Amino acid sequence: MNQPLSGINIVNLDHLGIVAGIIDEMELVEEVNKKVGISNKETLSPGQVMKAMILNGLGFLSAPIYLFDTFFVGKATEHLIGEGVTPKQLNDDRIGRALDKYHQAGTTQLFTAIALKAAHKFQVEMNSVHLDSSSISVEGAYKTCQEKSQDIETDSSDPPDEMKAIKIVHGYSRDKRPDLKQFIIDTIVSGDGDVPLYLKIDDGNADDKSVFVARLKEFKNQWTFDGICVADSALYTAENLSAMAGMKWITRVPLSIKSARQKISAIEDKDWESAQIKGYKIAAITSEYANIKQRWIVVESDIRKQAALKKIAQQVEKQLESASDSLRKLFRQEFACIADAEIAIKRLSDTWKYHQITEIECREKPVKKSTSKQKLENQTNSTVYQVTGQIETRLSVIEAEQIAAGRFILATNILDTQEVSDEQILLEYKAQQSNERGFRFIKDPLFFTSSVFVKNPERVEAIGMIMGLCLLVYTLAQRKLRQQLSATNEGVRNQVKKLTNKPTMRWIFQMFQAVHLVTVNGSKQVSNLTQDRQDVLKHLGQYCSRYYLMFLGG
């Protein structure tokens, strides 16, 4: 006999059980409740709300992040978040109040507490970390602190730095959207699995050069970190290098530094060594820039060199066309004296990088005398001068750029090559791409929105922290799965049905589409849990498996 429809309930579980399992293994809900506090009147704790926001953020669906109640309709909300939790409880008002509490607790402090516990639980190694920043563009009007102080009366005492609202303003846009206001996200991620360990939401016009050292020092103090700090060229200033005394660092040397430009072109053929990384060669030299002893590793990339040579040729050709046009216009100009003509042609020649004007000649040009008596009386000079010359290529400039093409310099204050080899310095710097991957993940347009509950800078800052936590959960899950697959010498079939032991979690999430939690007269079971899906869950462990009603032994 068929069961009555009233006794059957089917809701979507999909990949959200994996996300919930990793959150549980991190002990995120407990840590947030401890740091933020729970009110007696709250039916949902701050930790549960944060868990719901991360589930929403990692939903990878077309629903914007602010449609919480809509997102959870038809999903296993109570199963994933807690007994008695319904989509209606996850409304704009509840989410907004939670964001306010996160900001009051300090977004960086809260993120660090969560990440610190997670790193210990998942045994994340911290031999090296990578620092970088990116901008997040937003639409809409956000009041600055000054504007808000004019609208409401404020306490005369300034709030602590961690309580001050960020300034959502125009600044240097990494998104190439200078028309939009923005805020900045600074992150430090581990060399082990790209796990974000530190996050700071900064003002939209914050300058990397001025804040990077402060971020590293704060991280070092919070994590008692003594590994290697890796960052891009914004870190490499004389002031920053002096401020990093006692810290180990690897960074890129800006070629705006004169000694760097000189040394990058002065490498002799005998000094080069082929790197283990295909297409690279390296040469080690010494430097005492900013009175700090350091190793400089000059690196040449074949791919970058070919691209740079092609770009130089294009620039030379383009400049020649522009220079020829400008010179023709100059030839038609008339000057009152030879000195003016020579100044004009020299000024034009100096504006060109790859070309110069040679064979310069000035010639007189008689002025036809006027028949008007008045003009004759005012006329003081009957001769003007015109200039001619030839465009010549600056071969020395072009050759110097061709030699330096595809080259860059890495610097470190670790002088002992036994501790860190030249090759390892290159590998560590290449791993800096981990930040860029994280920023691409965070900048998914489904993450951020100017919703009704994100109407002030404090809540924007809290949303920025939630975005970072989504990345934390994602990278921990991916790292754990890859480690287990490697340890057992197993793989997961990717999009083209080939086995891989390095799947992305985005693909794993897609694998779990159409997995449902079915309740029949109070008895629960999970449908569509294929063998491939069960294998993935076994590798992810008991925290994830139990959401799919798989209870692993041991």
Side-chain angles (χ1 to χ4, degrees), residues 473-521:
V473 172
Y474 182 93
T475 53
L476 285 173
Q478 181 170 271
R479 174 182 174 274
K480 182 172 185 177
L481 179 58
R482 290 179 174 182
Q483 282 186 337
Q484 292 299 316
L485 289 171
S486 178
T488 57
N489 198 27
E490 296 181 37
V492 172
R493 296 196 181 278
N494 60 17
Q495 294 91 325
V496 294
K497 308 300 181 184
K498 291 185 178 181
L499 285 176
T500 175
N501 62 359
K502 291 186 177 181
T504 66
M505 283 313 296
R506 187 179 289 269
W507 169 243
I508 298 299
F509 289 171
Q510 291 175 1
M511 278 181 60
F512 276 74
Q513 287 182 351
V515 175
H516 304 108
L517 179 67
V518 182
T519 305
V520 181
N521 292 332

Side-chain angles (χ1 to χ4, degrees), residues 417-487:
T417 56
Q418 297 298 316
E419 182 178 357
V420 180
S421 68
D422 298 342
E423 187 94 19
Q424 287 174 307
I425 291 173
L426 174 58
L427 288 170
E428 284 289 355
Y429 186 77
K430 283 181 67 64
Q432 184 72 0
Q433 296 173 357
S434 58
N435 288 85
E436 297 172 7
R437 288 191 294 269
F439 289 133
R440 286 197 298 270
F441 178 91
I442 286 175
K443 289 186 178 186
D444 189 302
L446 301 182
F447 264 124
F448 187 80
T449 179
S450 55
S451 67
V452 292
F453 61 80
V454 189
K455 56 188 178 183
N456 59 47
E458 292 88 349
R459 291 184 178 182
V460 170
E461 181 177 337
I463 280 287
M465 179 196 66
I466 297 296
M467 295 159 68
L469 288 171
C470 288
L471 179 61
L472 175 61
V473 172
Y474 182 93
T475 53
L476 285 173
Q478 181 170 271
R479 174 182 174 274
K480 182 172 185 177
L481 179 58
R482 290 179 174 182
Q483 282 186 337
Q484 292 299 316
L485 289 171
S486 178

Side-chain angles (χ1 to χ4, degrees), residues 71-291:
F71 174 81
F72 282 103
V73 169
K75 291 184 175 61
T77 308
E78 189 173 7
H79 182 69
L80 292 165
I81 301 173
E83 185 176 352
V85 178
T86 65
K88 287 185 178 180
Q89 292 174 323
L90 296 165
N91 53 53
D92 292 346
D93 183 56
R94 184 68 191 87
I95 301 303
R97 292 199 308 272
L99 290 172
D100 291 339
K101 283 193 171 185
Y102 303 152
H103 182 267
Q104 290 166 7
T107 52
T108 297
Q109 291 82 350
L110 188 54
F111 182 94
T112 301
I114 296 168
L116 185 59
K117 172 161 280 192
H120 288 312
K121 289 277 290 183
F122 285 78
Q123 298 182 340
V124 178
E125 294 183 359
M126 287 176 286
N127 297 323
S128 64
V129 296
H130 299 261
L131 166 66
D132 207 349
S133 70
S134 191
S135 58
I136 305 292
S137 301
V138 297
E139 297 186 6
Y142 293 89
K143 291 184 178 182
T144 63
C145 297
Q146 182 178 3
E147 291 172 329
K148 288 197 293 183
S149 66
Q150 295 172 352
D151 294 340
I152 58 175
E153 292 185 5
T154 58
D155 194 300
S156 58
S157 60
D158 291 333
D161 288 342
E162 63 270 18
M163 295 295 294
K164 291 181 180 179
I166 59 169
K167 298 175 184 177
I168 301 178
V169 294
H170 294 285
Y172 173 69
S173 174
R174 281 77 160 179
D175 301 326
K176 302 189 184 302
R177 289 300 306 270
D179 56 311
L180 296 179
K181 291 183 178 180
Q182 63 182 25
F183 62 93
I184 302 296
I185 293 185
D186 303 321
T187 62
I188 295 177
V189 305
S190 68
D192 174 18
D194 305 343
V195 178
L197 305 173
Y198 172 93
L199 176 141
K200 173 73 175 178
I201 310 297
D202 259 327
D203 297 340
N205 57 359
D207 176 34
D208 290 350
K209 291 181 180 180
S210 61
V211 302
F212 267 12
V213 170
R215 301 292 169 260
L216 286 173
K217 284 186 173 181
E218 186 176 352
F219 170 78
K220 188 175 186 295
N221 292 334
Q222 291 173 338
W223 288 80
T224 59
F225 174 75
D226 60 358
I228 303 171
C229 303
V230 186
D232 217 329
S233 58
L235 185 67
Y236 199 90
T237 68
E239 183 179 0
N240 285 352
L241 297 185
S242 298
M244 287 192 294
M247 299 173 68
K248 301 174 184 177
W249 48 262
I250 294 173
T251 185
R252 183 169 175 168
V253 181
L255 293 183
S256 56
I257 296 174
K258 184 178 179 181
S259 58
R261 292 197 306 271
Q262 293 172 342
K263 290 188 177 184
I264 204 169
S265 301
I267 305 298
E268 298 182 7
D269 291 342
K270 63 181 179 63
D271 297 326
W272 290 110
E273 293 183 6
S274 295
Q276 293 179 9
I277 306 174
K278 186 177 179 180
Y280 286 87
K281 58 183 181 180
I282 55 180
I285 54 180
T286 59
S287 173
E288 292 192 12
Y289 180 77
N291 296 317

Side-chain angles (χ1 to χ4, degrees), residues 321-390:
E321 293 176 3
S322 175
S324 299
D325 184 55
S326 298
L327 193 58
R328 282 193 295 270
K329 292 179 181 178
L330 184 65
F331 288 167
R332 294 194 291 270
Q333 291 185 33
E334 297 177 348
F335 300 92
C337 64
I338 293 176
D340 289 348
E342 290 177 341
I343 290 172
I345 201 166
K346 184 179 185 303
R347 184 181 295 127
L348 176 62
S349 182
D350 290 345
T351 62
W352 301 334
K353 182 178 182 179
Y354 301 112
H355 301 88
Q356 61 185 345
I357 302 173
T358 60
E359 300 182 25
I360 299 172
E361 293 183 6
C362 293
R363 56 185 178 84
E364 295 182 0
K365 179 183 177 183
V367 178
K368 186 182 290 186
K369 294 186 177 182
S370 173
T371 57
S372 167
K373 182 177 180 182
Q374 184 177 0
K375 288 183 178 180
L376 282 171
E377 291 175 354
N378 294 334
Q379 188 172 313
T380 58
N381 193 353
S382 59
T383 303
V384 294
Y385 297 88
Q386 290 184 314
V387 67
T388 62
Q390 298 293 325

